[in-house]
Amino acid sequence: FPADLFFRGDSVTMCPSGKLLVRELVRTNALRLPYSRLAVATYIKASDMNSEFARHLSEHRAITLVNEFTKAGFEPRRLVARPVVVDAPILVDPLDHPARYNQAVEIIPLDR
């Protein structure tokens, strides 16, 4: 998902529509994957791979999302936060704004 669905700009605070999206994801996955574990990965593109701000943003967004999943009813033991800093766009969509995917969120099933 593009990160702007969950967060505004370079913030770690979730927007109201992001909280709704998390609740819908929890509702959808509660029955489909009742015992699986999920990784919540947050990607931030940074030209400097050692950027403290990029690391802070990615880490705190991942933790914020895991906390929101927990509030929505997902068991905390089934979630893991995975902050990731990358040096290239996560995805290039020719039909969308070129920089939209410089920040992204991915929900990854860990048990298959």
Side-chain angles (χ1 to χ4, degrees):
F1 299 97
D4 62 2
L5 294 175
F6 298 94
F7 302 95
R8 289 189 189 126
D10 287 336
S11 172
V12 297
T13 304
M14 289 189 68
C15 57
S17 60
K19 292 181 180 189
L20 290 173
L21 182 55
V22 166
R23 283 196 290 261
E24 186 62 26
L25 288 168
V26 167
R27 190 180 68 73
T28 302
N29 286 303
L31 299 176
R32 187 172 58 181
L33 304 166
Y35 300 106
S36 69
R37 297 175 307 128
L38 298 176
V40 179
T42 54
Y43 299 91
I44 302 294
K45 177 187 171 286
S47 56
D48 175 11
M49 293 298 292
N50 296 319
S51 167
E52 288 293 323
F53 179 71
R55 187 175 19 246
H56 166 82
L57 190 62
S58 184
E59 183 176 322
H60 282 80
R61 281 183 172 183
I63 292 167
T64 298
L65 281 166
V66 164
N67 289 340
E68 199 61 38
F69 269 81
T70 302
K71 286 181 196 174
F74 224 77
E75 296 176 46
R77 66 182 178 83
R78 294 176 51 202
L79 296 165
V80 61
R82 296 252 171 98
V84 182
V85 177
V86 296
D87 61 357
I90 292 91
L91 174 73
V92 177
D93 183 352
L95 303 175
D96 206 344
H97 187 274
R100 186 165 191 213
Y101 290 92
N102 287 340
Q103 301 178 6
V105 172
E106 184 178 17
I107 311 301
I108 308 164
L110 298 175
D111 302 322
R112 296 188 188 243

